[in-house]
Amino acid sequence: MQQWETESPAQTRAIGKDFAKTLSPGAVVALTGDLGCGKTAFVQGVMEYFGDSAQVVSPTFTLVNEYDGTLPVYHFDVYRLENPLPEQCDWMDDYLFGDGVCLIEWAENVRAVLPKDTIWIRFAKNPARGEDYREITQC
Ligand code: ADP
Ligand code: MG
């Protein structure tokens, strides 16, 4: 288990950028935690590392955004796929078992279709530590 603490979006991006160094082709990273906990900020940092300067925003309506850096990166937000039927996730397989890196916001919604070696990262606030405090835990 690895844990990071952050007190600003910039710090969260820096953590994502540093974490990205550990990723190789085919990696699947599951990001969990409530709205506003910094999942997208973390992905922005990952993309700083992989070098696509495109604006990284949550793909809430498209479900997946594709970035083209030194590796292909697929950024999912499956918030709207609550309790999906397995066949509603079939389209994800080409990404999940391909050679790019997958980063999946709200991954708990599609847990059943994720590879066994998925890397799980949990984002949480802690109001007692201030409004901008976030705890990031890799399980
Ligand atoms: P999510 O994708 O989990 O919904 P976002 O990254 O889109 O979260 O948004 C995080 C929100 O929280 C932004 O409005 C950001 O400005 C704010 N914020 C405050 N502190 C932090 C922090 N330490 N890390 C990331 N975001 C933070
Ligand atoms: Mg988001």
Side-chain angles (χ1 to χ4, degrees), residues 4-5 13 23 35 41 49 51 56 61-62 78 93-94 106 113 116-117 128-132:
W4 299 268
E5 294 178 309
R13 286 196 298 274
L23 297 174
L35 199 66
Y49 177 77
V56 175
F61 296 102
T62 51
V78 293
D93 278 1
D94 286 345
W106 298 95
V113 302
K116 291 278 178 289
D117 58 353
R129 299 286 302 270
E131 200 180 317
D132 292 345

Side-chain angles (χ1 to χ4, degrees), residues 40 58 77 105:
T40 300
S58 248
D77 185 324
E105 299 192 35

Side-chain angles (χ1 to χ4, degrees), residues 5-13 32-44 57-58 75 77 105-106 123 125 130-136:
E5 294 178 309
T6 142
E7 290 185 320
S8 70
Q11 227 180 325
T12 300
R13 286 196 298 274
T32 69
D34 283 342
L35 199 66
C37 275
K39 301 180 295 297
T40 300
F42 183 90
V43 174
Q44 287 167 348
V57 293
S58 248
H75 176 201
D77 185 324
E105 299 192 35
W106 298 95
F123 293 72
K125 296 183 186 180
E131 200 180 317
D132 292 345
Y133 178 86
R134 304 286 188 272
E135 198 172 79
I136 304 173

Side-chain angles (χ1 to χ4, degrees), residues 29-40 43 58-60 63 75-84 89 92 103-114 118 120-123:
V29 184
L31 308 171
T32 69
D34 283 342
L35 199 66
C37 275
K39 301 180 295 297
T40 300
V43 174
S58 248
T60 307
L63 295 179
H75 176 201
F76 298 76
D77 185 324
V78 293
Y79 178 73
R80 290 186 307 136
L81 280 185
E82 218 178 332
N83 292 320
C89 300
M92 294 181 73
L103 297 147
I104 309 170
E105 299 192 35
W106 298 95
E108 63 271 37
N109 284 356
V110 296
R111 180 184 290 271
V113 302
L114 299 181
T118 295
W120 287 85
I121 301 184
R122 192 178 70 229
F123 293 72

